[in-house]
Amino acid sequence: MRETISSCMEYYPEMEQINSDIMSKVLAMSGTVNFDSYTQSDVQSVLSKDFLSPEDFTVLLSPAAEQYVEPMIIRAKTETFKHFGNSVCLFTPIYIANYCENQCVYCGFNCMNKIKRAKLSLDEIETDMQNIAQTGLKEILILTGEARNASGVEYIGDAIKIAKKYFLNIGIEIYPLNSDEYNYLHSCGADFVSVYQETYIPDIYDKVHPFGHKRSYPYRFNAQERALMGGMRGVSFGSLLGLGEFRKDSFSAGYHAYLIQKKYPHAEISFSFPRIRPYVNKEFSNSGDVFEMQLLQLMLAFRIFMPYAGITISTRERDFFRNNIVGIAATKISAGVSVGVGGHASDTKGDEQFEISDPRSVQEIHHMLLSEGLQPVYNDYVRV
Amino acid sequence: MDKLKLGKYSFDSRFILGSGKFSLKMMETVIEHGGVEIATLAVRRANTGKDENILDYIPNGITLLPNTSGARNAQEAVRIAKLARELGCGDMVKVEVVTDTKYLLPDNYETIKATELLAKEGFTVLPYMYPDLIAAREMVNAGASAIMPLGAPIGSNKGLLTKEFIQILVNEIDLPVIVDAGIGKPSQACEAMELGADAVMANTAIATAGNIAQMAKAFKSAIEAGRNAYLAGFGRVLDLQGEASSPLTGFLEGLK
């Protein structure tokens, strides 16, 4: 790779630059929002509205709304039920490689970390996928570390083609691509793209991404839009909670998705809420803590602001939180999760990205959902 | 200042007057009492000769909004709009394409096509439409300067029967939304403005009133009231109470 870009707001030469004003809109609005300026009466006004504006969303994310978590739960449950009924989708991630070329100071896959690196062969991918398919899952999320040289687009395309034999619904969570590359992976069988901005605050982004392709903030920011331009059906948004100021980062992720939905009304939108968990190298970063109550408030605010969006609950959270949030705001839950490479085979080949908090199997999650009065759904999409 | 911006034009008044149902001699009174700055003109009906020429009844300072009523497809709408421009009615036009003579409902599909053709010709295009979000987006892409969804069947005075759908347009469309057709009372005009419409057009409601001038004045006040309420932002409505929260307690207390 060439020299590292000096500012995180630059692109590397091979990166596609699209015509979009969404990033400047998000930066402009998130730069002016003051979460401490709201009062309880602002929260009450917002909760009595049928449709929320982006500014209303900031009110629900504010400290003033912490007192309104109960009414927010009631509203969120109603919205979730209105749009999704009692269905909750199940899926699992599959890590096919953990090589990474970036030095994100908060991440266990940081290329400077001394961890066991691996990249599954196509045969190993097939074995892993067969094992997952036997659990009954129909949706899979294929992940790699962010290293184009180690895990090229063609390799990921091959993994998708294998996944197509076993699964009906294929998502990817890989390094950002140009739109023609997304188009290629779509033609291989992938329909959903997750890219997390980690933090939307450029100063912090700059500090925690000192090196590698990931250092380019705008290229990462516009990944969802390029994915949609490439024909993908749905895109997922989120920030790594605890890295930057979590209210501002959450607002930015929500507003980003809001503007994408406005520009691409056919796109399926979803959110994830990863909190920083213990990982190799954590002591070297200075991340803040986001408590469960705050995480809950964020998820409720998103549900009320964008009631039609999917919300995925990560295994980074413990079973108690996951069991409760599925009836309230979350519409998708991972099950039978391993975040190591080859973790669905008997011998894991590469180390894990982070520690999971909910190791329950697909069967266990399935029964938990039933006992909560919810309907496990294994596929809600048909590719035509 | 809170201006209504339609393409390159801007206005203080948010009350657009339909003119097709008045005697021409009433126009000036209605315009004055209603604080009207924009009045529509049905090109097909406009006398252009010496006698009863509508242009002679329109006071100075009033912007004419010719419409393409009578058009049954996009091509006819374009021809009528061009005719209006040649007659000196300016380049702002309300596109009206009606292919149903029973209910007089607008044909969104042909209207989108007409909007695109006229916008390319440099017109400021205000399409009259059935309030459909997908069609509205197409009109935005076609170059419209505002959209004019109907509130109820034209001439019915039934009010905001399409309220939910107009609300969706207000939420989703960045252009001005002008509620056109069906508004029968000042309270309905006010309601449209409260929910975030940018202007209201009325004709029958005023033309069929007992005292036309007084009703024009009532509409003016109602539209202003609704606009002010919308800009002020509504206070809270207390309807969140009354649900037992006990099932939540275990969850909330267990959080770390």
Side-chain angles (χ1 to χ4, degrees):
Chain A
M1 199 181 64
R2 295 167 193 79
E3 228 170 272
T4 294
I5 47 175
S6 58
S7 157
C8 76
M9 298 313 276
E10 294 170 19
Y11 289 84
Y12 287 93
E14 62 277 23
M15 290 178 167
E16 179 186 11
Q17 301 191 31
I18 59 170
N19 180 22
S20 176
D21 60 356
I22 291 180
M23 186 178 86
S24 60
K25 283 183 177 165
V26 170
L27 287 172
M29 189 156 172
S30 71
T32 57
V33 56
N34 178 3
F35 292 101
D36 293 322
S37 67
Y38 299 118
T39 63
Q40 300 204 350
S41 110
D42 291 325
V43 182
Q44 290 173 353
S45 293
V46 167
L47 286 175
S48 62
K49 289 186 181 183
D50 287 340
F51 301 98
L52 273 63
S53 68
E55 204 201 337
D56 295 331
F57 178 46
T58 67
V59 173
L60 295 188
L61 293 169
S62 74
E66 284 175 2
Q67 307 301 314
Y68 289 84
V69 164
E70 283 205 41
M72 283 171 72
I73 289 178
I74 292 166
R75 169 77 181 261
K77 274 178 106 158
T78 310
E79 298 290 356
T80 304
F81 196 82
K82 202 194 302 176
H83 290 266
F84 298 89
N86 67 344
S87 302
V88 178
C89 295
L90 278 78
F91 80 107
T92 209
I94 174 171
Y95 284 71
I96 59 172
N98 65 0
Y99 287 96
C100 193
E101 55 158 48
N102 300 290
Q103 277 181 36
C104 312
V105 300
Y106 50 83
C107 180
F109 284 175
N110 181 334
C111 68
M112 302 302 278
N113 286 352
K114 299 282 180 275
I115 62 166
K116 200 166 130 195
R117 302 284 174 177
K119 172 185 170 187
L120 298 185
S121 68
L122 296 182
D123 284 344
E124 288 166 332
I125 290 173
E126 182 132 15
T127 306
D128 234 26
M129 287 184 177
Q130 280 168 347
N131 289 335
I132 293 169
Q134 275 169 14
T135 67
L137 289 176
K138 296 290 179 203
E139 172 170 351
I140 196 161
L141 177 65
I142 299 174
L143 291 96
T144 64
E146 300 205 6
R148 187 182 278 267
N149 49 2
S151 322
V153 172
E154 207 170 309
Y155 168 69
I156 296 167
D158 290 341
I160 292 168
K161 287 177 192 164
I162 297 168
K164 228 178 151 215
K165 295 201 275 185
Y166 301 98
F167 302 97
L168 296 169
N169 192 332
I170 302 164
I172 49 174
E173 188 174 330
I174 60 169
Y175 49 90
L177 303 176
N178 290 344
S179 57
D180 58 338
E181 295 169 320
Y182 281 122
N183 188 250
Y184 169 69
L185 294 186
H186 179 253
S187 74
C188 293
D191 282 292
F192 299 90
V193 172
S194 300
V195 180
Y196 303 117
Q197 189 67 17
E198 317 298 10
T199 176
Y200 281 85
I201 302 164
D203 286 351
I204 301 174
Y205 191 95
D206 188 77
K207 283 195 190 86
V208 298
H209 302 107
F211 185 77
H213 281 97
K214 194 168 171 180
R215 181 161 169 73
S216 177
Y217 179 107
Y219 186 67
R220 192 172 191 85
F221 187 102
N222 288 320
Q224 284 91 348
E225 191 163 353
R226 292 193 306 275
L228 293 169
M229 289 164 64
M232 292 289 180
R233 181 181 181 88
V235 284
S236 186
F237 300 78
S239 46
L240 185 57
L241 301 170
L243 201 54
E245 205 281 287
F246 71 88
R247 299 178 200 282
K248 187 176 272 196
D249 270 337
S250 296
F251 168 72
S252 301
Y255 188 44
H256 183 188
Y258 169 89
L259 293 171
I260 288 283
Q261 195 278 333
K262 216 171 155 87
K263 189 165 173 183
Y264 301 88
H266 60 278
E268 286 186 21
I269 303 290
S270 59
F271 295 106
S272 286
F273 297 82
R275 283 197 297 163
I276 292 186
R277 304 296 301 171
Y279 53 85
V280 175
N281 207 26
K282 180 162 194 278
E283 61 271 27
F284 297 112
S285 72
N286 54 352
S287 48
D289 284 322
V290 177
F291 298 101
E292 281 181 341
M293 183 61 94
Q294 293 166 323
L295 176 64
L296 171 63
Q297 184 195 347
L298 298 180
M299 294 177 80
L300 297 172
F302 273 78
R303 168 56 64 227
I304 299 169
F305 174 51
M306 293 180 68
Y308 48 87
I311 289 182
T312 303
I313 180 69
S314 158
T315 45
R316 290 165 186 254
E317 304 307 331
R318 63 193 173 114
D319 53 1
F320 173 80
F321 191 89
R322 300 181 94 214
N323 291 357
N324 280 284
I325 200 69
V326 281
I328 294 170
T331 52
K332 187 180 276 193
I333 187 165
S334 49
V337 172
S338 162
V339 294
V341 177
H344 298 276
S346 51
D347 52 334
T348 300
K349 295 186 65 186
D351 281 346
E352 300 183 330
Q353 189 182 20
F354 55 89
E355 292 171 15
I356 64 172
S357 301
D358 183 357
R360 284 177 292 176
S361 68
V362 174
Q363 270 302 303
E364 287 170 308
I365 296 287
H366 181 102
H367 289 296
M368 178 276 286
L369 292 174
L370 290 178
S371 70
E372 297 281 338
L374 299 167
Q375 178 61 52
V377 170
Y378 288 84
N379 186 60
D380 73 341
Y381 167 59
V382 80
R383 192 178 223 254
V384 286
Chain B
M1 190 56 201
D2 179 36
K3 297 269 189 187
L4 170 64
K5 292 198 176 65
L6 301 175
K8 59 193 176 207
Y9 305 102
S10 77
F11 304 91
D12 291 317
S13 168
R14 291 172 182 274
F15 176 15
I16 299 175
L17 184 70
S19 68
K21 287 172 177 162
F22 298 107
S23 295
L24 289 177
K25 61 180 170 31
M26 288 302 295
M27 283 290 284
E28 189 159 4
T29 314
V30 172
I31 284 170
E32 186 188 322
H33 284 79
V36 168
E37 291 177 343
I38 305 172
T40 65
L41 166 69
V43 175
R44 63 167 168 172
R45 201 175 286 161
N47 298 315
T48 52
K50 279 182 183 162
D51 292 332
E52 291 294 295
N53 185 328
I54 189 170
L55 300 179
D56 296 335
Y57 290 91
I58 303 288
N60 285 338
I62 295 297
T63 302
L64 274 183
L65 177 60
N67 68 39
T68 62
S69 73
R72 290 160 303 174
N73 58 45
Q75 289 303 334
E76 289 179 4
V78 169
R79 286 206 292 274
I80 294 171
K82 285 183 177 171
L83 186 61
R85 186 156 68 178
E86 281 164 24
L87 286 173
C89 297
D91 61 8
M92 189 160 73
V93 62
K94 173 183 164 187
V95 173
E96 222 178 295
V97 183
V98 172
T99 44
D100 167 87
T101 54
K102 184 173 182 183
Y103 300 102
L104 299 175
L105 293 172
D107 180 333
N108 282 353
Y109 178 68
E110 289 293 324
T111 301
I112 292 163
K113 290 200 282 185
T115 299
E116 185 170 9
L117 293 167
L118 287 168
K120 279 185 185 153
E121 297 266 354
F123 282 89
T124 296
V125 188
L126 316 181
Y128 170 56
M129 67 169 316
Y130 193 82
D132 174 274
L133 176 60
I134 313 307
R137 285 185 177 132
E138 292 294 327
M139 288 172 195
V140 172
N141 293 338
S145 294
I147 52 166
M148 303 184 74
L150 59 85
I154 192 161
S156 69
N157 279 355
K158 284 191 172 175
L160 275 181
L161 296 184
T162 57
K163 183 176 175 181
E164 294 286 331
F165 303 98
I166 288 179
Q167 182 72 66
I168 288 170
L169 297 181
V170 167
N171 292 349
E172 301 301 328
I173 300 295
D174 291 333
L175 295 176
V177 174
I178 301 169
V179 176
D180 183 359
I183 300 295
K185 293 175 182 173
S187 58
Q188 295 158 352
C190 185
E191 187 182 15
M193 297 302 292
E194 280 179 355
L195 68 78
D198 294 273
V200 166
M201 194 183 125
N203 181 7
T204 310
I206 292 153
T208 58
N211 181 327
I212 288 177
Q214 203 166 7
M215 188 56 84
K217 199 173 166 187
F219 264 84
K220 174 179 188 282
S221 306
I223 289 167
E224 288 171 357
R227 179 64 183 174
N228 281 325
Y230 172 73
L231 292 176
F234 290 95
R236 74 194 202 283
V237 180
L238 284 177
D239 59 357
L240 294 160
Q241 316 298 318
E243 266 192 74
S245 58
S246 52
L248 303 173
T249 316
F251 179 35
L252 293 177
E253 284 178 353
L255 292 176
K256 289 182 185 167

